Amino acid sequence: MPNLKLFHFDIPTWGNYGDKALFPVVRDAFRVMGTGGSAASGSSGQSVGEVDFTSAAALRREVDMALVERINSSADAVVIGGGGLFLQDTNPNRLSGWQWKISAEALDAIEVPLIVYALGDNRFPGQPEFDELMRTHVSQVLDQSVFFGLRNTGSIETMSRFLGIEENGMGESSNSRTDSIRFQPCPTTIAGLLYEPLLGRRPDPSQKVLAIQMLVHPRQEAAGYDAEVIHRATIEAARTLVAKGWTILSVPFHPDDAEVSRQLVAEVPEIEEVRLYGSDVGFFAGFDLFATIPYVLGGRGHAQMIPFGVGSIPISLDLHAKLGYFAHDIGHPEFVVPVGQEGMTAESAGADSDGTGVSGDAVSGDVARRVQALAQGIVDTIEHAYAQGNDLQDDLASTRQKLFDITAENHADIHDTLRPASGTGRQGTDAESSGVGVGVGVGADVGHFPADAGSPGADVDLRTGSDIRAEEFHLAAVAEAEEFSTAQTRELSKIRREHKQKLDNAATQRKDLEADRKNLRHDLNQKEAQLEQQSAELAAQTTELDARTAEKNRHAGEAAGLRKRLEKSDTQLRSVTDRTATAEAKVLIDKTAHGLAWRARRIKRAFKR
């Protein structure tokens, strides 16, 4: 019987190879580290003892009180993780604000201590800051934890800042609270030291063999990453490397990677695809594969960590902060190829080029220039790693051993803190007595460093092939049920989203119609007011017109009277005129007759003389 019984909140899946591989390795890390031996001993040198898991549950499903009761009655502690669980838009919920879907009430009802194991800040570029619900909930998790370990120092920094915890200058948190944050590497990074079939295996760095996993996620596109340029540059880099004698495999981790993988194989026929997602692929398949591949180019976190864990040299594109965190922690930030503007200029790509670079003929214009620059940067980084392959591999093997030793020390501290006694409720949460609050960095002295880097230490019971097959059978059974349930949940969620979208559209349409109605009512009121004003103006104008018409009629009457008077006057004038003319004619006649008479008398007098 194990003397430490654990319950595990995990993500049983076959859709994402990183998650599929991670959670069995978490359990196996506890099993290996809990079997005693020098590498798995605490500072006191006492054996840690046997550890095993009583059961597990999907952390994305809501935790109810019935499950809490089962945990309290059967487990000494609860393991949460690992993985990038600090993310709000995957498994969104208002119970916790992050991926572990448990209410504050259910969390408080868990009576056994929590072990938060190798989690990471997984917030994508451009996403909003984590909210207050998540801050409060994660703080409660911290308060109930005997160990709170994050998988990289970058996450320790961001989460410490988010939770208001001071750092101790070693990349770890340190204050008076019992929720100090520790550095706990992802156990996939030490897989080569946990499994017997991997022990002693090492890919040959002199071989030009490269595996590629690549995808620019829609979240990254939303943040401004140019998927077209990055995917095209990956293909052009692969084409160039094949021309230089490299053997390349495409290793999609997730169904979302399939399209880029299809393009790689279609455009560079020499590339072979080895699919790692799906129900027919066991969790150990990737470890077994990467143990034969000396170089890996990836865009996912576990496309770095899993290859590293079995001796590969991991090179990544700078698509997420976590990729840079890991490269920094293993001492090789140059393994991350920039994909922003600084990574897409000719200057950034040409420094180490040998002149036989990427042609970029497949595209044109500005896109072609950026594709060519990024592709050349990828090629140069891979060839630079190849040029120092043996030294790099030795250095990474030493780093991997340090991560193993840090993990062993953490497990010893966890065991010493718990002092297992099933059913005793919350126990061993005094960080001062246990030393759990003391941080250990990658470069710190962790006590045990085996002389032979790459060896887990004496008397450590590694996981065997039969253990691996048993875990794969368990995972396949659980994952099948979970994937079926998840598919149903996704379909239901899709229906709900579509229904909600319809309701939202209807609500929006209603608001628009109400707004239109309000605008029309406003316009109508304005028109009515204008009409009333115009009617008043028209009435006033009508009154004025009537007055003017009356005045016009009066003037017309006066004009008619004046015309009659004028006509009468004309008649009188004509009468007067006629009389005057007759009189004047008579006077003229009289004058003429008088003149003629006068003249006749003169003539008569003249004749008389």
Side-chain angles (χ1 to χ4, degrees), residues 138-383:
V138 175
S139 292
Q140 183 180 350
V141 172
L142 278 164
D143 290 337
Q144 293 182 218
S145 300
V146 293
F147 181 82
F148 195 99
L150 300 188
R151 65 186 181 182
N152 51 58
T153 55
S155 291
I156 293 174
E157 179 183 347
T158 61
M159 293 304 295
S160 295
R161 187 166 57 247
F162 173 62
L163 297 170
I165 302 172
E166 297 178 0
E167 292 182 63
N168 64 8
M170 299 174 66
E172 302 195 351
S173 66
S174 178
N175 64 9
S176 60
R177 296 175 63 185
T178 61
D179 52 13
S180 298
I181 300 177
R182 297 283 292 272
F183 173 53
Q184 172 52 57
C186 177
T188 61
T189 64
I190 59 171
L193 304 176
L194 298 177
Y195 293 96
E196 189 177 86
L198 296 175
L199 196 61
R201 293 178 61 182
R202 178 170 173 163
D204 183 356
S206 67
Q207 292 183 347
K208 290 186 172 183
V209 181
L210 173 74
I212 296 177
Q213 173 281 316
M214 190 51 58
L215 172 72
V216 178
H217 194 276
R219 289 164 171 152
Q220 290 151 334
E221 288 189 77
Y225 288 81
D226 193 327
E228 178 188 1
V229 168
I230 294 169
H231 292 163
R232 173 55 54 185
T234 302
I235 294 170
E236 294 304 317
R239 194 192 316 275
T240 299
L241 290 169
V242 166
K244 292 185 174 188
W246 283 75
T247 297
I248 297 181
L249 302 178
S250 176
V251 288
F253 272 49
H254 190 283
D256 291 349
D257 301 346
E259 178 57 26
V260 178
S261 180
R262 185 196 64 77
Q263 292 179 24
L264 269 170
V265 173
E267 298 197 31
V268 188
E270 295 86 352
I271 295 178
E272 178 186 352
E273 180 181 271
V274 180
R275 174 177 51 82
L276 291 178
Y277 64 87
S279 60
D280 58 332
V281 181
F283 87 90
F284 198 71
F287 295 102
D288 197 44
L289 172 68
F290 291 122
T292 67
I293 299 176
Y295 305 93
V296 177
L297 173 67
R300 294 182 178 272
H302 279 104
Q304 284 180 314
M305 293 184 284
I306 292 172
F308 170 87
V310 293
S312 297
I313 297 172
I315 297 164
S316 304
L317 298 191
D318 190 15
L319 296 172
H320 195 293
K322 63 186 178 185
L323 302 173
Y325 294 160
F326 179 73
H328 174 270
D329 285 348
I330 63 174
H332 290 280
E334 75 278 7
F335 285 174
V336 178
V337 181
V339 296
Q341 289 302 318
E342 71 278 13
M344 296 187 183
T345 61
E347 291 79 6
S348 68
D352 298 322
S353 177
D354 62 2
T356 58
V358 180
S359 67
D361 293 336
V363 286
S364 58
D366 179 62
V367 172
R369 288 189 293 273
R370 290 188 290 139
V371 166
Q372 182 176 3
L374 179 55
Q376 192 64 59
I378 294 171
V379 170
D380 290 345
T381 302
I382 292 169
E383 293 197 320

Side-chain angles (χ1 to χ4, degrees), residues 405-555:
D405 292 330
I406 290 171
T407 301
E409 290 289 332
N410 287 342
H411 279 260
D413 286 344
I414 291 169
H415 183 274
D416 290 345
T417 304
L418 288 175
R419 300 186 183 92
S422 181
T424 59
R426 293 181 189 172
Q427 52 188 312
T429 57
D430 185 352
E432 293 181 1
S433 64
S434 68
V436 173
V438 180
V440 180
V442 174
D445 182 3
V446 297
H448 175 74
F449 287 83
D452 179 16
S455 170
D459 301 326
V460 174
D461 291 336
L462 303 183
R463 305 301 285 169
T464 65
S466 60
D467 295 326
I468 293 167
R469 289 189 293 274
E471 184 68 32
E472 287 189 332
F473 176 80
H474 162 75
L475 179 62
V478 175
E480 183 172 6
E482 185 64 23
E483 289 288 343
F484 178 75
S485 175
T486 301
Q488 288 184 318
T489 302
R490 286 197 191 104
E491 185 62 26
L492 180 59
S493 297
K494 179 182 177 183
I495 293 171
R496 285 176 175 169
R497 284 196 303 271
E498 291 174 349
H499 181 63
K500 184 178 183 299
Q501 185 63 50
K502 290 178 181 178
L503 290 177
D504 290 344
N505 291 341
T508 301
Q509 187 176 11
R510 178 184 175 183
K511 288 180 181 178
D512 292 342
L513 291 173
E514 288 177 348
D516 290 344
R517 184 173 179 271
K518 183 178 180 181
N519 291 336
L520 290 172
R521 173 61 64 184
H522 180 264
D523 292 344
L524 179 60
N525 291 338
Q526 282 189 325
K527 294 297 182 183
E528 288 178 343
Q530 291 175 358
L531 182 60
E532 290 177 0
Q533 182 180 357
Q534 291 173 351
S535 296
E537 291 175 354
L538 181 61
Q541 290 173 355
T542 300
T543 301
E544 184 180 358
L545 180 60
D546 290 343
R548 290 182 179 180
T549 300
E551 185 177 0
K552 175 186 175 185
N553 290 338
R554 181 173 61 78
H555 287 309

Side-chain angles (χ1 to χ4, degrees), residues 111-158:
E111 298 175 353
V112 297
L114 306 181
I115 301 169
V116 175
Y117 195 80
L119 301 195
D121 178 352
N122 204 17
R123 190 165 64 92
F124 278 71
Q127 288 188 329
E129 297 290 338
F130 296 144
D131 63 18
E132 188 59 31
L133 170 63
M134 178 175 167
R135 187 195 314 274
T136 302
H137 193 278
V138 175
S139 292
Q140 183 180 350
V141 172
L142 278 164
D143 290 337
Q144 293 182 218
S145 300
V146 293
F147 181 82
F148 195 99
L150 300 188
R151 65 186 181 182
N152 51 58
T153 55
S155 291
I156 293 174
E157 179 183 347
T158 61

